[in-house]
Amino acid sequence: MASYSSLPKTIKEYRSNSDGYRKLRLCEAPLEHPEAAEVLVRVHSVSMNYRDLVAVEGTYAGLKPKPNVVPCCDAAGSIALLGADVASSGQWSVGERVCVQVALDYRDGEVGPETMARALGGAIDGVLREYVRVPAHALVKIPENLTYDEASTLPCAALTAYNALFELKPLKKGDYVLLLGTGGVSIFGLQFAVAAGATAIVTSSSDEKLKLAKKLGAQHTINYNKIENWDDEVLNITGGQGVDHVIEVGGSGTIAKSVNAARYSGCVDLIGFVAQGENQVPVGLTIHKALVVRGILIGSAAQFEAMNRFISEHDIHPIVDKVFSFEEAVDAFAYLGSQKHVGKVVIRLI
């Protein structure tokens, strides 16, 4: 069993003051000892999200990270040390492979104002560091079929997609799902939809990215640079019916077309804000179609565990576009910002 004395006295970590990823600072800090109900996790891989990029750029509406924050919220690693109460409980063991929940205290139930008060890489320090100290209740076991790089993509993007498709109005075989773009959430949504037996429609401005989406099981693809009225094309594909779920990551720039593309009593799952626009929801059409327009904020640990069972059952492997070393973190942020990726960008520590 590991002891504190056998671990390094100091660790390396990145710090940000929301003044841009090019000003990230690689620092040395003391290794933190876990309290009684906590564990110390050796971080193996960190996955990046659009949230992390806008947080370090200082442009994330509604989120003001703590000063000098350690960025990023997605990590997979191994337990290095147990707090006294955790050790005596027998719930966890040193060496177990785990992911860390983004909102540390969000175990189950509804989102509340306290949910993000302990969210990694925002209100509190994140995971772009060699070791992270977290409550034992924030841990979720990694599916056996996944590597650390793959597992690091699960806490934010994968769980967000799973929450959207299976929580309020569960996706079922034969449903239609519209996925905007080929970023992390959308690609996970595609993989989950295909596994559930749904018909997936993917949009992108890149034919190359759409080819990759086809390989992952997308039955229909739309290049929105070539087909401006892509919402009408979605209606054509679905015989005028519209889709059961829209994974809406565009926000103000795409919401009106997403509402048009949805079927009566369908779901528009609001997740992101990467597209610029007038931020106008067509209220009349939304009411007329009796749509559920639902904001999605990650998911609980209980949902995380359910998602991992689904991943294991269907042997789903996250799509990792590119892996950077810990020393290449600035390059990883730049690559994420270029939007050249399909799926996820990962920083590997060990």
Side-chain angles (χ1 to χ4, degrees):
M1 184 173 179
S3 65
Y4 190 68
S5 62
S6 67
L7 296 172
K9 298 295 186 290
T10 61
I11 67 169
K12 292 180 180 179
E13 61 184 17
Y14 281 92
R15 293 275 175 180
S16 166
N17 272 319
S18 298
D19 50 4
Y21 64 82
R22 297 195 183 281
K23 293 188 178 180
L24 283 173
R25 303 180 311 283
L26 182 58
C27 309
E28 191 172 273
L31 179 71
E32 298 176 337
H33 192 284
E35 300 292 336
E38 296 178 329
V39 299
L40 186 68
V41 175
R42 175 64 164 109
V43 178
H44 288 242
S45 299
V46 171
S47 171
M48 306 183 70
N49 300 284
Y50 183 70
R51 168 192 186 268
D52 304 321
L53 179 63
V54 293
V56 300
E57 292 293 322
T59 57
Y60 193 166
L63 171 66
K64 184 175 177 58
K66 69 181 282 287
N68 202 35
V69 70
V70 175
C72 297
C73 62
D74 278 8
S78 56
I79 296 177
L81 194 62
L82 304 173
D85 291 351
V86 184
S88 62
S89 73
Q91 180 184 5
W92 295 101
S93 302
V94 170
E96 282 193 90
R97 302 189 326 137
V98 293
C99 284
V100 180
Q101 177 79 348
V102 174
L104 294 183
D105 299 327
Y106 186 23
R107 288 295 304 164
D108 202 357
E110 296 182 342
V111 169
E114 72 285 351
T115 303
M116 300 307 286
R118 293 238 298 151
L120 295 165
I124 63 174
D125 285 333
V127 295
L128 197 54
R129 59 203 316 184
E130 292 179 312
Y131 289 83
V132 61
R133 177 174 59 95
V134 296
H137 63 241
L139 300 181
V140 176
K141 289 184 179 180
I142 292 174
E144 291 184 4
N145 63 319
L146 301 188
T147 66
Y148 284 113
D149 287 347
E150 292 172 330
S152 72
T153 69
L154 300 181
C156 186
L159 188 54
T160 297
Y162 185 86
N163 184 358
L165 294 177
F166 294 102
E167 183 63 18
L168 185 63
K169 296 188 73 173
L171 187 68
K172 60 186 183 300
K173 185 177 181 179
D175 282 353
Y176 280 93
V177 180
L178 172 62
L179 303 128
L180 304 189
T182 55
V185 175
S186 295
I187 290 296
F188 272 118
L190 168 60
Q191 291 179 286
F192 293 156
V194 171
T199 298
I201 305 169
V202 178
T203 70
S204 175
S205 61
S206 165
D207 286 336
E208 289 302 312
K209 290 182 178 181
L210 291 175
K211 287 179 182 177
L212 290 173
K214 280 271 192 181
K215 290 181 179 179
L216 293 173
Q219 289 92 334
H220 304 277
T221 59
I222 303 170
N223 187 319
Y224 58 77
N225 276 348
K226 296 179 179 178
I227 302 177
E228 182 178 355
N229 295 325
W230 51 263
D231 50 332
D232 292 333
E233 181 64 16
V234 171
L235 293 175
N236 289 335
I237 290 170
T238 59
Q241 173 181 311
V243 298
D244 298 88
H245 278 273
V246 183
I247 298 296
E248 170 49 85
V249 299
S252 59
T254 52
I255 183 63
K257 290 185 177 181
S258 291
V259 165
N260 189 44
R263 73 164 176 85
Y264 281 70
S265 299
C267 284
V268 178
D269 304 302
L270 287 173
I271 293 164
F273 44 86
V274 299
Q276 300 299 313
E278 297 180 358
N279 202 28
Q280 292 183 350
V281 177
V283 176
L285 186 58
T286 301
I287 295 172
H288 182 68
K289 285 187 168 184
L291 296 179
V292 174
V293 180
R294 177 177 173 238
I296 308 294
L297 184 67
I298 50 171
S300 68
Q303 290 171 331
F304 202 153
E305 290 161 356
M307 177 187 72
N308 283 356
R309 291 192 292 271
F310 185 86
I311 287 172
S312 296
E313 178 185 353
H314 296 280
D315 194 25
I316 294 171
H317 287 267
I319 304 304
V320 176
D321 183 283
K322 194 169 184 178
V323 177
F324 292 82
S325 71
F326 187 54
E327 291 73 22
E328 296 173 322
V330 171
D331 294 332
F333 273 95
Y335 184 68
L336 182 71
S338 74
Q339 297 187 357
K340 295 177 181 178
H341 62 289
V342 173
K344 299 295 291 179
V345 179
V346 168
I347 297 172
R348 183 185 297 157
L349 282 76
I350 58 174

